[in-house]
Amino acid sequence: MPSLFDLGDVAIGAAFRAGESTADALARVRAAGEAAGERASAETSGLRGRLAALAQRGAAERAKRQSEASARAAEALDAAMTAIASSSLVNRIVDVQVDRMLKLFEHEPDRIQGLVRGQRDTMVGEVVGRVRAGAAAGDAAVDRLTLRMGRRGGDAEPT
């Protein structure tokens, strides 16, 4: 039984054998066609039909093998990423970096406080901007409403 990697060579060998057999069959059909035109035409159309069926089968098998190979590659990649993410080496590297950052926070609080203040100022600025935009939109809506109400009242009174 050939191995999985040898199956590709087997398929290529079969394809070449089929091509040689087809060339021989076509030569026989041509020779027979000269002797009997109508019989050769029927044999040729039958041969073309079989060749078309073989081509469809080959294309389907190739697509199937490619999708299986893609699925196997995706599974292998997922397994590799899981193994890497859960490895003790990666855990140690993360632990060392976390310890380093905690020491930095401990020994340089001014540096960290500056970052926190900057973030706080940015967040407060965004909130104030949103409140102002909402208030401006509300003022505009109230102005439009009062103008409409004023017009209606003015139109209803006789002049």
Side-chain angles (χ1 to χ4, degrees):
M1 182 76 182
S3 71
L4 184 61
F5 293 110
D6 293 336
L7 288 179
D9 293 337
V10 170
I12 291 171
F16 276 102
R17 175 65 59 93
E20 292 167 353
S21 299
T22 302
D24 292 342
L26 285 175
R28 285 194 309 266
V29 167
R30 284 189 183 118
E34 292 173 1
E38 192 172 298
R39 192 181 92 224
S41 175
E43 193 172 328
T44 302
S45 66
L47 181 62
R48 285 186 181 148
R50 288 191 303 264
L51 288 175
L54 283 173
Q56 287 177 343
R57 171 100 189 261
E61 290 296 327
R62 180 176 32 85
K64 180 180 170 184
R65 299 290 184 248
Q66 286 176 341
S67 66
E68 288 173 357
S70 295
R72 284 193 307 270
E75 289 173 7
L77 182 61
D78 286 345
M81 293 305 294
T82 300
I84 289 170
S86 61
S87 74
S88 61
L89 177 63
V90 171
N91 287 335
R92 282 185 289 199
I93 291 171
V94 169
D95 288 343
V96 166
Q97 291 301 319
V98 168
D99 289 342
R100 187 175 138 241
M101 292 305 298
L102 290 175
K103 286 178 185 175
L104 177 69
F105 293 162
E106 181 182 345
H107 295 308
E108 297 183 36
D110 295 336
R111 194 171 173 189
I112 303 307
Q113 287 174 354
L115 290 172
V116 172
R117 277 190 205 111
Q119 286 293 333
R120 184 188 63 212
D121 292 344
T122 301
M123 289 179 1
V124 168
E126 287 178 10
V127 169
V128 167
R130 287 184 183 179
V131 168
R132 284 182 180 160
D139 288 345
V142 168
D143 287 345
R144 285 193 303 269
L145 180 65
T146 55
L147 284 174
R148 284 185 202 153
M149 291 177 74
R151 284 187 201 141
R152 286 185 191 152
D155 291 340
E157 294 179 9
T159 53

